[in-house]
Amino acid sequence: MAAFGSVFMPKMALATFANNNWSESSLVSSDSIQLHPGAHVLHYSSTCFEGLKAFRHEDGSVHVFRMEQNIKRLAQSSRLLFLPEIDEAQTSKMILDAVAEFATDVPEPPGSMYIRPTHVGTEAAVGKAAAPSATSLLYVLLSPVGDYFTGGAKALRLLLDETGMRCAPHMGMIKSGGNYASALGPIAKAKEEVQADQILFCPNGDVQETGAANFLLIDGNEIITKGLDSSFLHGVTRSSILTLAADMGMTVSERDITVDELLERAAKPGVEAVLSGTAAVLTSVGTFIHNEKEYKVGSGEPGPVADKLRQALNDIQWGKAEDKHGWLTKVV
Ligand SMILES: *Cc1c(COP(=O)(O)O)cnc(C)c1O
């Protein structure tokens, strides 16, 4: 099967910002965009994006999951990058228009339609290294995706990195391209040197997140994850999982965790650690690598609480459980 996110629907929704106004959005061919080689985004990385999904239910209806949250985050990312302010109502319409156009192409669970809104600075101005782009382009690209875990889920190996950082501290809560480029070198090195799947960035011992997913620790009836601050990306999956954990009667602790506490707790039987994100929902962590030593997390295998939480979230997304929190927007 094609790699996650490498197949696209032939059309996307697109709008441009110029002269202090957004154009009407329209559905256009998704195989190319036209950009001046001097476009701000290509030189100074004025770019941010979102990732959300539409799901097909058994009755054939199609629903987008927590769209408002993703639009709010795109607005926040745009603001923090000094890109033009997005029109949230228009962005919502663009997402719904695009998904409606390809509603019959939305795969059945465990597949879904991955939705990638993207906002980039387009002004041709290489002299604007320290000034924002006055013009921009917003588009919503669609990619049908299958089961993220074809071939079975395996527990990940994470390198705990206390000296490096994923990105500059003031960029943490912006979903912006440069942050991923910034983390690529360290991750490539960790793969090569200690066969880690990901790095869990823990600057000065403060457990933050991996290159593209949030981190949560499950110890008995308690789920622990870093409280929201500007240093890391505020995942919608993180927030959904915490809500469902509280619904199940678990204790939700949003607070700082140190590497010392993490390693101490990981040694206890039954402890689980997971990464959360839209693409895979929850992925179990089996091993921490720290100062050349390896530490098993609980049994070292995917655990039952992670399965239960993933199932609870999937059940809502797939229309098999009541959408008590109003997370779904019906498209068709
Ligand atoms: C997108 C992303 C996440 C996960 O966010 P979701 O809204 O749950 O998909 C976490 N960390 C980073 C750095 C991300 O880019």
Side-chain angles (χ1 to χ4, degrees):
M1 214 194 74
F4 183 95
S6 64
V7 173
F8 298 100
M9 290 292 106
K11 284 184 187 172
M12 62 181 180
L14 179 146
T16 55
F17 186 88
N19 305 317
N20 289 314
N21 270 304
W22 281 103
S23 70
E24 288 280 312
S25 69
S26 56
L27 285 171
V28 299
S29 170
S30 68
D31 65 356
S32 63
I33 52 171
Q34 202 169 3
L35 275 184
H36 190 283
H40 199 270
V41 58
L42 300 177
H43 301 265
Y44 309 124
S45 290
S46 47
T47 169
C48 54
F49 67 92
E50 273 307 320
L52 65 163
K53 283 174 169 173
F55 297 91
R56 173 176 302 286
H57 289 185
E58 235 155 39
D59 64 2
S61 61
V62 170
H63 305 254
V64 183
F65 185 70
R66 301 202 76 177
M67 178 175 70
E68 276 74 28
Q69 291 299 309
N70 291 87
I71 292 174
K72 261 205 231 160
R73 194 168 65 187
L74 186 67
Q76 174 175 275
S77 293
S78 298
R79 223 170 278 134
L80 291 170
L81 291 168
F82 291 84
L83 275 162
E85 185 83 16
I86 65 164
D87 176 334
E88 296 189 26
Q90 180 181 42
T91 308
S92 150
K93 182 178 179 298
M94 288 169 71
I95 291 170
L96 297 174
D97 285 353
V99 174
E101 176 78 9
F102 295 104
T104 56
D105 296 291
V106 176
E108 280 178 12
S112 61
M113 186 67 86
Y114 183 78
I115 307 166
R116 175 53 67 97
T118 307
H119 188 198
V120 301
T122 50
E123 189 179 0
V126 293
K128 280 199 157 182
S133 174
T135 60
S136 69
L137 175 63
L138 174 64
Y139 57 84
V140 178
L141 200 53
L142 300 180
S143 174
V145 295
D147 185 0
Y148 199 84
F149 295 112
T150 36
K154 76 170 189 20
L156 301 179
R157 290 165 58 81
L158 293 194
L159 174 65
L160 307 184
D161 181 346
E162 295 190 63
T163 52
M165 281 184 212
R166 185 177 81 89
C167 61
H170 67 289
M171 295 290 288
M173 62 180 193
I174 313 178
K175 211 168 171 75
S176 184
N179 288 348
Y180 306 85
S182 155
L184 214 49
I187 295 168
K189 191 161 166 263
K191 285 187 175 164
E192 166 84 27
E193 291 181 355
V194 296
Q195 291 73 55
D197 296 297
Q198 291 293 335
I199 294 179
L200 181 56
F201 291 95
C202 313
N204 302 312
D206 173 37
V207 177
Q208 293 183 337
E209 63 171 331
T210 64
N214 294 128
F215 177 81
L216 304 97
L217 188 69
I218 300 162
D219 186 351
N221 197 45
E222 187 181 14
I223 185 161
I224 312 167
T225 192
K226 187 172 172 61
L228 299 179
D229 66 20
S230 59
S231 71
F232 73 103
L233 208 280
H234 304 170
V236 176
T237 314
R238 170 194 177 282
S239 136
S240 308
I241 289 293
L242 294 184
T243 301
L244 295 176
D247 288 352
M248 288 172 186
M250 291 181 75
T251 304
V252 174
S253 302
E254 293 186 68
R255 60 163 172 86
D256 287 351
I257 323 175
T258 62
V259 167
D260 287 344
E261 181 184 353
L262 187 60
L263 293 178
E264 201 175 294
R265 286 197 188 241
K268 301 200 318 195
V271 165
E272 296 177 40
V274 290
L275 299 183
S276 74
T278 294
V281 182
L282 286 182
T283 313
S284 291
V285 177
T287 308
F288 294 132
I289 307 158
H290 184 247
N291 292 341
E292 284 156 30
K293 282 218 285 255
E294 301 206 359
Y295 301 80
K296 266 211 165 83
V297 185
S299 68
E301 297 300 324
V305 184
D307 279 347
K308 194 169 91 175
L309 288 167
R310 185 191 307 104
Q311 192 63 53
L313 184 56
N314 280 154
D315 281 349
I316 295 172
Q317 293 173 326
W318 298 347
K320 298 191 159 154
E322 190 196 339
D323 177 23
K324 280 191 204 142
H325 300 283
W327 287 341
L328 299 176
T329 303
K330 188 171 178 190
V331 183
V332 289

